[in-house]
Amino acid sequence: MRSFDIDAIRADFPILQQEVKGKPLVYLDNAATTQKPQAVLDALTRYYSTINSNVHRGAHTLSDLATREFEAARETVQRFINAPGSNQIIWTRGTTESINLVAHSYGRAFLKPGDDIIISAMEHHSNIVPWQLVAEQTGANLKVIPVTDDAELDLAAFEALLSENTKLVSVVHVSNALGTINPVKSIVAKAHAVGARVLLDGAQATPHWNVDVQDLDCDFYAFSGHKVYGPTGIGVLYGKTELLEAMLPYQSGGEMIEKVSFDGTTFNVLPYKFEAGTPNIGGAIGLAAAIDYLNQFDRQLMANHEHQLLQATLDRAADDPHIRLIGRAQSKAGVFSFLLEGAHPHDLGTLLDQQGIAVRTGHHCAMPIMDQFAIPGTVRASFAFYNTQDDVERFFAALAKSKTFLL
Ligand code: C6P
């Protein structure tokens, strides 16, 4: 196991060494996407420069090598989230596609008029819109767990929404806009008690700690490779075997079939039934390299480090009467979402960028929760384990300078 040496860690990330606008980069947009360690870049280069070929198809050596690495990557992901079987790991393009797969193949097939789907008011659009479409197409009702002023799920209201009509609950593990860590294990247990299935959107949880899908007992779990230090364009859907078996394919074409004739087609076994077409082979191998990179460290130490950065930020912000913090949950991941009173988030984001500070501004694809707080959006600084106390200092120095222009 490698020690948590922040200088050595930062040296692993080439992009962090550069300057932006003539200033050393302070990258605080990790909730949007994380940077990639050299190990991931090397894995992609090695794949494309030595074994690139299509998987499960060729009769030649390279295809065999690519297939082995591709399937080994699936097993790496299986261990990463402690899934019982690697055939429960379905490659997708990302969290968005994973949720759409469940909405399409489970929602449209199994929901009917009068059934209830429950989501929450703090969902990302990718966990709202697919369910709105499913509700329209099936006649099911879409119900929403309210969020308190402290940015926590109203669990009493959730329990009141649950009934024998509840067939599916789909909630975010960690909110990208607020940082709230939701008590998903108890949400799963309560939903199961009424016979409902549960999908968890893990896009913002997997970057921070080791998720255990068996411990959570969720029915589906979705996450994106690019948020866990892997490449873009690769993601994961985990599902319980009996559900995946019962579901029809999401897309159709090559790979997902067993036999095709004009009398009819039979489908391939799991997970290939859900993987039509040539998959993102390099992306899967790159994601496995990212997980191997993370596994070199004690992830608890990484999480502690991120938490210290968040706490230092919140402490500094508490002393500033101009800062309005959005997201005051007790249990919070490394997301600092705020408004500078009197300033539009985009203006502040631009001024920070000019000082080499990368943050995200806007509604963060979570318009309903912005509406609830009656704001157009926020400025969001989000932490990864390679950020430092110095990044926090430089963020606040840049904020102070921006205030001289804006206030
Ligand atoms: N949030 C953010 O800046 P994709 O784009 O498919 O990899 O992930 C979608 C998604 C789903 N759920 C949550 C909780 C998310 O945070 C995201 C992506 C990014 O917050 C881009 S909008």
Side-chain angles (χ1 to χ4, degrees), residues 158-177:
F158 169 58
E159 287 185 48
L161 286 177
L162 285 171
S163 76
E164 61 190 13
N165 295 330
T166 312
K167 293 295 180 285
L168 193 99
V169 175
S170 190
V171 289
V172 71
H173 197 165
V174 174
S175 157
N176 66 319

Side-chain angles (χ1 to χ4, degrees), residues 124-378:
H124 186 278
H125 297 162
S126 63
N127 200 24
I128 298 174
V129 187
W131 302 115
Q132 288 176 324
L133 293 174
V134 165
E136 262 172 39
Q137 284 155 354
T138 62
N141 311 302
L142 187 59
K143 301 200 165 170
V144 182
I145 310 167
V147 168
T148 67
D149 291 344
D150 283 341
E152 294 179 340
L153 291 182
D154 182 338
L155 295 173
F158 169 58
E159 287 185 48
L161 286 177
L162 285 171
S163 76
E164 61 190 13
N165 295 330
T166 312
K167 293 295 180 285
L168 193 99
V169 175
S170 190
V171 289
V172 71
H173 197 165
V174 174
S175 157
N176 66 319
L178 309 166
T180 309
I181 302 174
N182 287 320
V184 287
K185 190 170 171 178
S186 94
I187 289 174
V188 171
K190 284 177 182 141
H192 282 174
V194 298
R197 299 298 186 178
V198 184
L199 183 154
L200 298 177
D201 169 354
Q204 300 290 349
T206 39
H208 301 296
W209 66 83
N210 287 340
V211 167
D212 181 335
V213 292
Q214 293 191 69
D215 179 55
L216 294 175
D217 196 26
C218 53
D219 299 286
F220 301 102
Y221 198 91
F223 71 96
S224 299
H226 70 98
K227 294 192 200 281
V228 286
Y229 310 93
T232 48
I234 186 75
V236 171
L237 175 69
Y238 155 81
K240 284 190 176 161
T241 303
E242 69 272 22
L243 298 174
L244 295 175
E245 294 281 15
M247 286 155 57
L248 282 173
Y250 172 46
Q251 295 179 338
S252 47
E255 184 75 3
M256 47 73 69
I257 54 87
E258 179 192 48
K259 182 167 185 344
V260 179
S261 81
F262 291 114
D263 296 329
T265 292
T266 53
F267 304 128
N268 207 338
V269 294
L270 290 176
Y272 311 111
K273 180 172 91 173
F274 293 107
E275 293 180 357
T278 299
N280 184 351
I281 307 160
I285 290 169
L287 173 55
I291 293 171
D292 288 342
Y293 177 84
L294 293 175
N295 284 342
Q296 297 176 98
F297 301 98
D298 179 342
R299 284 204 89 192
Q300 188 56 50
L301 291 182
M302 292 161 133
N304 294 349
H305 173 74
E306 288 175 359
H307 194 73
Q308 282 165 8
L309 298 178
L310 177 70
Q311 199 52 54
T313 305
L314 294 177
D315 290 347
R316 292 281 292 268
D319 294 337
D320 187 332
H322 298 112
I323 289 179
R324 178 177 167 200
L325 174 66
I326 305 295
R328 298 175 180 276
Q330 286 288 319
S331 187
K332 223 172 124 73
V335 170
F336 173 53
S337 219
F338 71 103
L339 285 158
L340 191 61
E341 265 164 39
H344 194 281
H346 293 319
D347 294 338
L348 179 55
T350 304
L351 286 170
L352 291 174
D353 178 53
Q354 282 166 7
Q355 299 170 80
I357 316 283
V359 294
R360 183 170 172 188
T361 62
H363 53 63
H364 314 297
C365 302
M367 281 186 183
I369 199 65
M370 298 293 132
D371 287 348
Q372 175 172 332
F373 287 102
I375 53 176
T378 72

